[in-house]
Amino acid sequence: MDQQQFYDRLNDRMRRYGASPLDQAQVITITASSDYLASYDGQVAALVACNLLGRLSPSVQVGFLDIAIHPRLPWAGRSLVEHALDGMRAADPFGSYGTRQVAAGDFRFHLGPDGHNTVIHGSGWNAYIGTGPSPLSPIESDVGIGAALAVVLGAAHLFRARFGAITDSFACNAWDWTDVPKRVEFSPVEISLGHVMTAGLGSVGSAANYFLALATRDFRAILIDHDGVGVHNITRSPIFTDADAKIDLAKVESVAAFLRGAGVEDVADDPVALHQSALWNLRETGTTDVLISAANEFNVRYHIEMGFPPIQLYATTGRNWQATLMRHVPGAKACSLCVFPPDEKFAPPTCATDGSTAHQTTVEEKRPDAALPFLSFAAGLMTAAEVLKLNSPGYPFSTERVMLGLRDQPLLVGTAIPHRTGCLCEGRHKGVHKAAITGSRYDKFAI
């Protein structure tokens, strides 16, 4: 495959979305305040910025000084700059990625609370983009979520404004998903998450696992997806590489290799659709603690809900530059089929394990496979943030559905998910459902 063919395929989903790639001649130089770069939050920001911007543009330079990767991050002790450059080059072998000081004409993407007239800054669960210095209070505990969110916000602005300066500042938090920063010292770093199953390892599912691994390697990852990696997947996932696409590597194998390389020791994967997976159909009571339901094919919501799921967390990307986070607590309020109903009024009266080939298209599955890279990163980050908060006292802190809009000035809106009359969950026995998840780490949330 030559360079032009590669970029045509790489940017296919972006063009389907109705957007054009960035100007390849415009250099983006990532800089950072030295004190910020020495911190956990600062290094999360640097890693995510290089990863995301390297997938948005083939012309990215690292303009910050090298430092050893923070001891609480994966790849601890390795050169931060070398690791970042290796990742960018693995995603785009034709790109121009290197190190140099910021030059005249570059778009400067500056990380930290100060050091430039516009800053991208995250502290704890809080994120800020805008004129410097940042108004965010320093948070002592290692979190990383706000830092990653600030990078996503900054990348969305860069893409939307086509390298225009940030003229309107914006601050928000990922704790209760509002535009008011919160001083929360809870750190998810190194906390045990239990058994985390991901159904669907496309852009959002892979991104969720990427962000989980930046915070902790103490979880069992259970990965289910039937599809392989294509070049068109690379821009929207922080994990997939050109080498993966060349051999049509199963997405579960790509994510499993990443997690193991990051230090997650317990990884199980199944390269099939959820309704065909023994890891789902034959799981024992209470063994899956949380389900990241990021698939949208083969009427997956029906098979999930028929299988008495644990707490579900996931996010979707929309056609209007938005990512929407959703939470479904067993027995409480709406289920996922309330949000994404099948075409017909009722799902077929079959069990998820009976080998039925009956296929119904859901509302979710009808959506075109088109998205922007920063939206997929946002959806994965929002999902991971909710998983990481499950162990915090008082959870949950937001409504069941939160929308992050990025078309113009960022917007956060939380709404309840209404129950759908006639949904499968109306006839589901709450006692049976509760028994099916008894013993799971988060069964306390079930009604």
Side-chain angles (χ1 to χ4, degrees):
M1 187 187 305
D2 63 24
Q3 181 172 339
Q4 187 59 52
Q5 290 173 321
F6 175 81
Y7 283 122
D8 285 345
R9 295 185 186 182
L10 187 74
N11 296 314
D12 174 71
R13 294 321 194 247
M14 183 185 297
R15 289 194 171 96
R16 289 193 191 192
Y17 200 86
S20 58
L22 293 172
D23 180 1
Q24 295 188 9
Q26 174 63 65
V27 176
I28 302 169
T29 299
I30 303 170
T31 61
S33 304
S34 57
D35 289 348
Y36 188 59
L37 194 64
S39 68
Y40 175 87
D41 279 347
Q43 291 199 11
V44 168
L47 289 168
V48 175
C50 291
N51 194 322
L52 177 51
L53 296 181
R55 293 170 195 268
L56 270 176
S57 169
S59 303
V60 179
Q61 296 293 308
V62 175
F64 52 79
L65 295 176
D66 199 10
I67 190 172
I69 293 179
H70 195 279
R72 290 197 175 183
L73 280 166
W75 323 290
R78 186 180 177 187
S79 160
L80 179 65
V81 169
E82 286 183 7
H83 183 78
L85 288 173
D86 286 349
M88 288 191 280
R89 291 165 180 161
D92 181 354
F94 297 102
S96 176
Y97 305 114
T99 59
R100 66 167 171 76
Q101 292 184 340
V102 63
D106 291 359
F107 180 88
R108 185 173 180 181
F109 196 91
H110 184 74
L111 308 172
D114 50 32
H116 186 49
N117 58 343
T118 57
V119 297
I120 314 295
H121 180 223
S123 178
W125 296 89
N126 301 320
Y128 172 79
I129 62 169
T131 56
S134 167
L136 299 182
S137 300
I139 303 294
E140 297 300 324
S141 57
D142 297 329
V143 177
I145 297 298
L149 180 57
V151 169
V152 170
L153 295 172
H157 170 86
L158 180 157
F159 191 86
R160 180 181 66 247
R162 297 288 149 158
F163 304 106
I166 304 173
T167 56
D168 296 318
S169 301
F170 178 74
C172 64
N173 81 83
W175 187 252
D176 61 8
W177 301 109
T178 63
D179 57 5
V180 179
K182 296 284 192 305
R183 185 170 186 85
V184 178
E185 294 289 350
F186 174 80
S187 174
V189 175
E190 299 181 342
I191 282 180
S192 177
L193 302 177
H195 292 193
V196 181
M197 177 180 286
T198 306
L201 272 300
S203 56
V204 177
S206 62
N209 278 270
Y210 171 82
F211 287 113
L212 287 180
L214 291 184
T216 180
R217 272 65 66 200
D218 191 355
F219 64 98
R220 184 187 188 214
I222 308 167
L223 312 173
I224 302 172
D225 192 294
H226 73 288
D227 205 2
V229 177
V231 173
H232 62 276
N233 298 125
I234 295 173
T235 58
R236 295 172 292 145
S237 166
I239 291 177
F240 301 149
T241 67
D242 176 58
D244 295 339
K246 282 179 176 175
I247 61 173
D248 192 30
L249 185 68
K251 290 176 179 176
V252 291
E253 293 185 24
S254 176
V255 177
F258 167 82
L259 291 176
R260 293 185 182 112
V264 180
E265 296 180 356
D266 195 348
V267 181
D269 62 89
D270 199 359
V272 298
L274 183 78
H275 67 282
Q276 300 170 319
S277 174
L279 293 178
W280 170 254
N281 292 323
L282 302 181
R283 72 195 190 282
E284 296 182 6
T285 298
T287 54
T288 300
D289 295 310
V290 57
L291 175 62
I292 298 174
S293 46
N296 65 353
E297 295 178 298
F298 304 112
N299 201 13
V300 67
R301 301 292 167 193
Y302 170 75
H303 294 293
I304 287 172
E305 297 303 339
M306 284 292 289
F308 299 105
I311 187 169
Q312 285 185 76
L313 300 166
Y314 61 98
T316 62
T317 58
R319 293 291 301 176
N320 197 32
W321 289 49
Q322 80 270 21
T324 304
L325 171 71
M326 297 187 213
R327 178 180 66 248
H328 301 290
V329 177
K333 300 182 181 179
C335 77
S336 61
L337 273 176
C338 291
V339 183
F340 300 111
D343 282 347
E344 297 178 12
K345 185 176 182 181
F346 299 105
T350 56
C351 174
T353 60
D354 70 353
S356 171
T357 58
H359 178 78
Q360 285 186 314
T361 301
T362 64
V363 171
E364 181 183 30
E365 193 172 348
K366 289 179 181 178
R367 295 183 298 113
D369 183 15
L372 300 173
F374 51 83
L375 291 181
S376 299
F377 273 62
L381 174 62
M382 294 173 82
T383 303
E386 288 302 292
V387 175
L388 293 169
K389 287 186 283 187
L390 284 170
N391 286 289
S392 58
Y395 182 86
F397 308 106
S398 64
T399 56
E400 304 96 70
R401 178 166 50 195
V402 176
M403 187 272 288
L404 171 63
L406 295 171
R407 177 173 284 280
D408 298 302
Q409 182 73 345
L411 176 69
L412 277 165
V413 178
T415 58
I417 300 177
H419 171 73
R420 181 175 62 86
T421 301
C423 184
L424 174 150
C425 62
E426 283 186 338
R428 185 166 50 195
H429 195 289
K430 290 184 179 180
V432 174
H433 196 164
K434 188 170 181 65
I437 62 171
T438 294
S440 62
R441 183 180 292 258
Y442 310 113
D443 63 1
K444 62 184 178 182
F445 297 121
I447 292 179

